[in-house]
Amino acid sequence: MLNIRKTNINDFKQLYSLGLKTPELKVNKKDSFMDRDDFKLRILDKKHIFLVAEEDKKIAGFICASAKDIERPLKNKYACLVYIAVLPEYRKRGIATKLYNECVKKLKRRGITHIYAWADMKSGIINFLKKRGFDEGKPSVWMDRKL
């Protein structure tokens, strides 16, 4: 049976490992995933929604959304869908949809009115997002550099 729950710091190692193994989450040509400390802070930060999907007490996937913009004095309140990942052996079973739906419910309770996401144009996430009402924006390229 699938269980969606709030992530806790004890999940960190397993979730970070899942992120490292998920090619769609590759940050750039050199880095396979986000910085460990940044990822850990997102789990602990109350301005993030960070949920995990478990099946038979095994983590199958996670979702992370940042609601940091909520304090800005704007009519619309935005959140960023940072990550959604499901292990390959659990894909095509609706787990990502359940994670997404639960995340959206929690964001709405916080007063969020809009959600946006950056997506790898070569991955299946584009279709996932379109099915949930996301409009495709102008193509862009993520660029970064270590200073």
Side-chain angles (χ1 to χ4, degrees), residues 21-82:
K21 294 176 192 171
T22 306
E24 296 90 347
L25 301 184
K26 189 171 176 77
V27 176
N28 59 39
K29 290 181 181 181
K30 295 180 206 162
D31 301 314
S32 58
F33 190 47
M34 75 184 315
D35 178 75
R36 292 175 61 85
D37 292 335
D38 188 6
F39 190 76
K40 190 179 284 187
L41 282 174
R42 290 172 193 267
I43 291 172
L44 297 170
D45 187 348
K46 298 203 182 309
K47 292 181 181 155
H48 281 75
I49 303 289
F50 209 131
L51 304 172
V52 90
E54 286 181 320
E55 190 170 89
D56 298 324
K57 298 192 180 193
K58 182 175 187 237
I59 291 178
F62 67 86
I63 191 167
C64 173
S66 171
K68 286 189 177 239
D69 287 349
I70 193 127
E71 294 169 358
R72 294 172 60 200
L74 302 171
K75 176 182 153 195
N76 293 314
K77 303 293 181 187
Y78 293 85
C80 177
L81 176 57
V82 180

Side-chain angles (χ1 to χ4, degrees), residues 6-8 22 24 47 60 65 67 86 99 129 144:
K6 186 176 182 224
T7 305
N8 65 61
T22 306
E24 296 90 347
K47 292 181 181 155
V86 175
L99 281 166
L129 294 171
D144 63 35

